[in-house]
Amino acid sequence: MVVYAGQWKVFMNNSIDTGKVNVRHGGSAVFELTTNDPFDPAMFSTLLPRVVTKLTEYLRDDRIRGLSLDPPITLLEKAKSIKEKDGSKHTTEQQLLDILDLHISSGIHVSSAGYMARQYSSVPPVTAIYDLISAICPQPATFYEGGPLPNVADKIIKHEFGTFLGWHADDFDMISTSGASLGNLTAVLAARNTQLGSTWRAGVQQSKRMVPAIAVGGDSHYSVERLAGIIGIGQDNVIRLPLNQRRQICVDAARDCLARATNEGKRVFCLIAAAGTTSVGAIDPIFALSQLAAEYEAWLHVDAAHNGAFLVSDELRNRVSDLRYADSFCLDAHKTLFVPAACTLLFYRDKHNAKSAFPTFASYVQDTNEDIISGFESGMKNFECTKRPSILNLWVAWKLYGREFFEEKLNYLVHTTFEAYRLIQEIDYFTPINVPESNILCFRFLPEGISQPDIGPLQLRIKERINNEGRYYLSKVDIDGTPALRLVVMNHKIGIGDVRSLLHQIRRIGFAEMAAPLS
Ligand SMILES: *Cc1c(COP(=O)(O)O)cnc(C)c1O
């Protein structure tokens, strides 16, 4: 139903119970919904306890469960067939609860010990509560006027991380953004704008003698792969750096690659390393790469989406402390700091560079003079305009539980992954692919006598059957072109016993698959 009332155009859908609408024009009250008002606070206070009850049940559910994915068509039908209201029994409230049930049943059970596949975690419930608070009382985080608290929280978190890096608060900068994909893009734009001169205004110029290029690790995340296309230098000008046995960028080979590229007229202005590759969690030799980058007057960005969080752990920090030599790096708090997505921290060693990514001026949100307020806001350093204040979730957990909470859970995940590695070494027919530096372990089931071409398909069949059986949820990744099984211990409920029983299940399935012809 569409109601026109002077300049007011009100769209109503048929989910409003009676559809009775009052529209008055003139005076102060111009618009009022009299029945079943979606904005009614009473509706919120009656509905929320019922939602909380369901979510608490969900959190308490200790069953070991993997993936139970519906085919999209089935889920589409289920979504469409959520029962319509009938005016009495089946109410708006009931519809919401039906949708919540569908949401829970169709998704990944991140709190279950069967969840061993992906890089996001269950969240401390208080961070989710805060997500609700910041949806009801919005503070879009970009400009101080709209989002004072998130801009202040940015500064608090910045200072905390500065101490882990040994950086002085006056020298460096940190902004929060939504996802490492965006964090990587923002940093590399800053690199382009500072290293290549006038590209922001004039566009990326190419000449035979000077072709802008970037260099990336062979296992870089697909968001990094895309960058060259987005920032206008072209995929042909991405130099892929070879990896060593540990799947880190090999510094000597990288030096040769850069020398060759320079001889061919390429200007490599940015080198992108990783601290925690998505495939195996490998950490590149950041210090050596920072020296190599300096030789070529290139910017070093580190995609530390996965392992950057190690900075908060006294035990794990030294694995990533060389991040302090990077010109920029980002880390995903929605992965290894366990807060709701998306919450990404992007660091610049030199604070002046933070403004280089988007050097535009917008008079409706900005003043020309740096003042007390503009020093506190990240708007002009961020891609986003309206931005969810997800930094508040991180800050709240930090405030309530302290650094130690993050440290303890991270240490546990990394220890458990290492134990899993030891177990895989002990059990016959398994071959680990990486010595885990973080909480990711890749391996293959390799029974005696399997022929080379069968290895990949066998891993894929195992992964599929494991996931279909619904007890454990595993992922896979191609390593040197051959699929491998991938275990990600994001869940502190996983004990080594769970890994052991997963491995038994893999062996059972693996041998059954070997007995049956592979198709
Ligand atoms: C997850 C991940 C990304 C992408 O981050 P989003 O937050 O999903 O955008 C980039 N790089 C690495 C290494 C990752 O693990």
Side-chain angles (χ1 to χ4, degrees):
M1 170 176 34
V2 181
V3 182
Y4 290 93
Q7 62 178 298
W8 305 99
K9 182 177 170 189
V10 185
F11 287 87
M12 309 292 302
N13 65 29
N14 57 12
S15 70
I16 301 294
D17 280 341
T18 67
K20 185 159 173 271
V21 177
N22 252 347
V23 179
R24 282 176 279 144
H25 201 176
S28 55
V30 289
F31 178 80
E32 190 183 305
L33 286 160
T34 53
T35 49
N36 203 17
D37 179 358
F39 291 97
D40 185 0
M43 159 97 161
F44 180 68
S45 64
T46 52
L47 200 45
L48 198 59
R50 300 183 65 186
V51 170
V52 169
T53 304
K54 271 197 188 291
L55 291 177
T56 308
E57 265 168 39
Y58 169 78
L59 291 172
R60 288 214 173 108
D61 188 340
D62 267 344
R63 281 174 293 164
I64 297 183
R65 288 185 296 169
L67 199 59
S68 48
L69 209 55
D70 273 333
I73 281 293
T74 313
L75 185 58
L76 182 74
E77 285 311 317
K78 286 184 185 173
K80 287 204 293 197
S81 64
I82 296 277
K83 209 166 156 234
E84 291 302 329
K85 286 187 296 280
D86 57 17
S88 57
K89 279 216 300 293
H90 216 77
T91 56
T92 307
E93 283 86 343
Q94 194 51 52
Q95 280 190 311
L96 180 75
L97 297 174
D98 291 349
I99 293 172
L100 175 56
D101 285 340
L102 186 61
H103 187 118
I104 290 174
S105 66
S106 61
I108 296 171
H109 308 291
V110 289
S111 316
S112 165
Y115 165 65
M116 301 176 171
R118 300 276 160 218
Q119 288 166 273
Y120 42 89
S121 158
S122 56
V123 301
V126 71
T127 59
I129 294 173
Y130 213 88
D131 230 30
L132 173 66
I133 293 171
S134 55
I136 298 268
C137 321
Q139 290 214 13
T142 322
F143 294 98
Y144 188 78
E145 186 180 301
L149 196 55
N151 279 291
V152 164
D154 268 354
K155 295 293 178 221
I156 297 172
I157 295 294
K158 172 192 154 178
H159 282 249
E160 296 284 340
F161 276 77
T163 59
F164 305 142
L165 287 156
W167 283 354
H168 194 277
D170 291 341
D171 300 336
F172 79 102
D173 204 356
M174 184 220 88
I175 60 165
S176 51
T177 185
S178 306
S181 304
L182 200 47
N184 289 333
L185 173 63
T186 304
V188 175
L189 264 179
R192 189 198 74 177
N193 294 341
T194 55
Q195 306 300 96
L196 294 185
S198 59
T199 48
W200 184 258
R201 296 190 68 83
V204 179
Q205 311 287 319
Q206 277 200 9
S207 70
K208 273 229 160 56
R209 281 179 24 252
M210 210 289 279
V211 180
I214 60 174
V216 309
D219 265 355
S220 59
H221 186 262
Y222 76 86
S223 64
V224 172
E225 298 283 312
R226 284 176 173 176
L227 284 175
I230 302 175
I231 67 170
I233 62 165
Q235 289 294 329
D236 292 347
N237 299 309
V238 178
I239 295 151
R240 289 202 168 66
L241 304 173
L243 304 177
N244 63 21
Q245 288 265 304
R246 291 166 66 187
R247 305 198 71 77
Q248 304 163 306
I249 293 175
C250 172
V251 179
D252 287 340
R255 178 169 280 110
D256 294 345
C257 282
L258 293 188
R260 213 174 314 123
T262 307
N263 281 339
E264 287 166 6
K266 296 207 160 137
R267 161 76 176 103
V268 183
F269 67 90
C270 185
L271 208 154
I272 305 171
T277 52
T278 311
S279 50
V280 302
I283 302 170
D284 288 327
I286 297 166
F287 177 66
L289 290 172
S290 74
Q291 291 186 313
L292 182 60
E295 281 172 40
Y296 284 85
E297 293 181 35
W299 175 299
L300 176 66
H301 172 69
V302 183
D303 176 359
H306 193 78
N307 283 10
F310 285 4
L311 285 170
V312 308
S313 159
D314 287 342
E315 183 189 317
L316 302 172
R317 187 173 310 125
N318 63 1
R319 299 186 189 190
V320 294
S321 54
D322 284 355
L323 284 171
R324 67 185 188 274
Y325 299 113
D327 292 291
S328 57
F329 71 92
C330 60
L331 67 87
D332 270 349
H334 57 266
K335 288 178 179 162
T336 30
L337 294 174
F338 327 120
V339 299
C343 178
T344 299
L345 311 182
L346 169 59
F347 295 84
Y348 294 92
R349 194 181 63 217
D350 177 347
K351 68 175 178 192
H352 299 102
N353 286 335
K355 290 189 189 132
S356 306
F358 309 109
T360 316
F361 179 74
S363 63
Y364 40 86
V365 282
Q366 240 187 326
D367 290 320
T368 22
N369 299 329
E370 269 268 324
D371 61 12
I372 288 173
I373 283 184
S374 64
F376 257 85
E377 61 189 11
S378 63
M380 286 294 116
K381 304 167 193 167
N382 252 312
F383 181 82
E384 297 147 292
C385 179
T386 310
K387 180 168 73 118
R388 268 196 85 96
S390 52
I391 190 71
L392 292 175
N393 301 330
L394 178 60
W395 173 58
V396 161
W398 197 273
K399 188 80 193 161
L400 269 57
Y401 306 124
R403 179 187 68 83
E404 292 74 14
F405 153 68
F406 299 96
E407 172 177 56
E408 264 175 44
K409 174 160 168 170
L410 268 177
N411 290 357
Y412 179 79
L413 301 180
V414 171
H415 289 173
T416 306
T417 310
F418 199 78
E419 268 187 85
Y421 164 74
R422 300 271 277 274
L423 194 60
I424 276 177
Q425 281 186 309
E426 271 169 31
I427 301 185
D428 289 343
Y429 312 121
F430 284 101
T431 307
I433 284 164
N434 64 315
V435 183
E437 295 184 63
S438 85
N439 57 339
I440 302 175
L441 172 64
C442 296
F443 59 98
R444 295 194 182 99
F445 174 69
L446 286 181
E448 273 163 34
I450 185 164
S451 68
Q452 191 63 33
D454 287 340
I455 293 175
L458 177 62
Q459 315 308 310
L460 293 179
R461 287 290 296 140
I462 290 173
K463 182 211 145 214
E464 198 180 308
R465 281 191 54 183
I466 289 278
N467 290 349
N468 285 345
E469 286 190 7
R471 186 167 170 83
Y472 298 107
Y473 173 29
L474 261 189
S475 53
K476 66 104 187 167
V477 62
D478 290 353
I479 303 285
D480 296 329
T482 303
L485 301 169
R486 178 170 171 269
L487 181 78
V488 187
V489 185
M490 278 309 301
N491 185 349
H492 56 278
K493 290 190 186 162
I494 297 174
I496 198 66
D498 296 304
V499 178
R500 197 185 297 276
S501 81
L502 166 77
L503 295 176
H504 284 309
Q505 190 171 343
I506 292 177
R507 252 170 62 150
R508 175 176 52 75
I509 289 174
F511 282 122
E513 284 292 329
M514 290 287 289
L518 289 170
S519 55

